[in-house]
Amino acid sequence: MSEKIENIYELRPLLDEIPEDWRYRIDEIAERYKKLYTALVYDIMAEQYGLPGRSMKPGIGPLERGERNGKVAGPAFPTRRCTTPDTDPKVHNIRLGLMKSMCRGCVYVSDVQGNRNCGQFGEITATAMRAAGCVGAVIDGSTRDSDYLIAMGFPTFVRWCSPVEGLTRSMTVDYMHPIYVDGVDGMLLINPGDYIFGDGDGVVVVPKDIVVPVLEKAEKNFRDEKLSRRAMAEGMDPFEVYNRYGRF
């Protein structure tokens, strides 16, 4: 029998990092975001908040498109990996200890530091994280067990897939600290509690202090777009459509 392991890892509650205006509305906020689409949310940040580039680099997407696995929304639980052959059990088991710091509705986000020699996420980890409240994962790298992740309905956004085990190749070394992922304009900062929203087009990151106002503005534009779309379908002049609804 292998030696027993102990949970000696620091509690760093994600819930404490989420602003009060939506800290206890995580489920509601997620359902509202998932009725929208990433391009709309991106435009709000770029046009109304002067925050262009709040999108991960193209190439990241869901393992499966569709209602069940094709969208993810929630506060970021950031982690960082490094490429290493080390199998030190204390470091290796950070992946277990970090789960007690998760909160209901969070999204696991992994900066893999450019590693490409293994799968950095898998179905058993997803099962444990789901039990801890996690609703999906964004891996700035790869996963394995992709068919199982799809079957269990755990939205997982990745750049590629791999059958290779991570042990002796890559390990999670820290959690609940700011990380960088590959962004459309270079390195994209993700803080604990920033909002992750992904769909078939990719993943956008909303700074945690403007999660609610960005959502409300995006919902308004979404309603206006419906009216604009209907007017165009009925043959209204495109200039008149734009002047009336401000969306085209």
Side-chain angles (χ1 to χ4, degrees):
M1 181 176 177
S2 60
E3 186 177 340
K4 290 185 178 180
I5 59 175
E6 296 181 27
N7 190 348
I8 58 173
Y9 302 95
E10 182 180 355
L11 181 64
R12 303 170 185 171
L14 173 59
L15 199 63
D16 292 349
E17 300 296 326
I18 298 173
E20 291 185 4
D21 64 333
W22 60 278
R23 181 179 299 165
Y24 300 107
R25 302 166 57 200
I26 293 173
D27 290 347
E28 172 212 331
I29 296 297
E31 288 306 309
R32 289 167 63 185
Y33 264 96
K34 286 191 289 186
K35 292 177 181 177
L36 306 174
Y37 57 98
T38 53
L40 182 63
V41 173
Y42 179 90
D43 288 350
I44 293 294
M45 289 190 286
E47 296 170 5
Q48 299 193 33
Y49 286 89
L51 294 172
R54 299 296 300 175
S55 172
M56 292 184 68
K57 186 177 179 179
I60 195 162
L63 289 173
E64 179 187 55
R65 291 175 179 251
E67 202 63 33
R68 187 169 185 236
N69 287 310
K71 282 192 173 183
V72 69
F77 186 93
T79 67
R80 188 174 76 250
R81 297 181 72 98
C82 77
T83 302
T84 175
D86 193 4
T87 58
D88 173 70
K90 181 178 179 181
V91 179
H92 181 61
N93 290 320
I94 285 176
R95 65 195 178 112
L96 305 178
L98 63 80
M99 295 184 203
K100 68 179 181 179
S101 296
M102 289 181 160
C103 70
R104 177 183 172 89
C106 72
V107 176
Y108 174 77
V109 185
S110 182
D111 162 27
V112 309
Q113 300 280 295
N115 176 277
R116 294 186 66 92
N117 68 6
C118 64
Q120 298 117 2
F121 190 69
E123 172 259 340
I124 293 177
T125 300
T127 300
M129 287 186 176
R130 170 178 276 174
C134 185
V135 297
V138 173
I139 315 298
D140 195 19
S142 69
T143 190
R144 61 188 208 151
D145 308 330
S146 56
D147 289 343
Y148 289 97
L149 289 164
I150 291 169
M152 68 184 281
F154 191 83
T156 306
F157 285 62
V158 296
R159 297 194 180 280
W160 68 90
C161 298
S162 170
V164 180
E165 162 67 49
L167 185 62
T168 75
R169 294 174 180 270
S170 172
M171 286 199 296
T172 299
V173 295
D174 211 347
Y175 58 101
M176 281 298 291
H177 288 294
I179 61 172
Y180 282 114
V181 295
D182 282 338
V184 67
D185 293 327
M187 293 190 298
L188 175 60
L189 178 66
I190 299 180
N191 292 294
D194 283 349
Y195 207 78
I196 303 298
F197 179 40
D199 63 13
D201 285 342
V203 177
V204 296
V205 183
V206 183
K208 58 187 174 182
D209 293 331
I210 58 171
V211 167
V212 176
V214 165
L215 172 61
E216 292 172 345
K217 289 177 172 60
E219 287 174 329
K220 180 184 183 303
N221 280 9
F222 189 69
R223 292 191 294 268
D224 290 344
E225 283 185 350
K226 282 186 175 180
L227 296 173
S228 173
R229 194 176 293 115
R230 182 185 305 165
M232 285 187 287
E234 293 172 351
M236 183 182 291
D237 181 272
F239 288 94
E240 185 178 349
V241 171
Y242 183 82
N243 289 331
R244 178 175 299 187
Y245 300 112
R247 305 296 300 171
F248 189 83

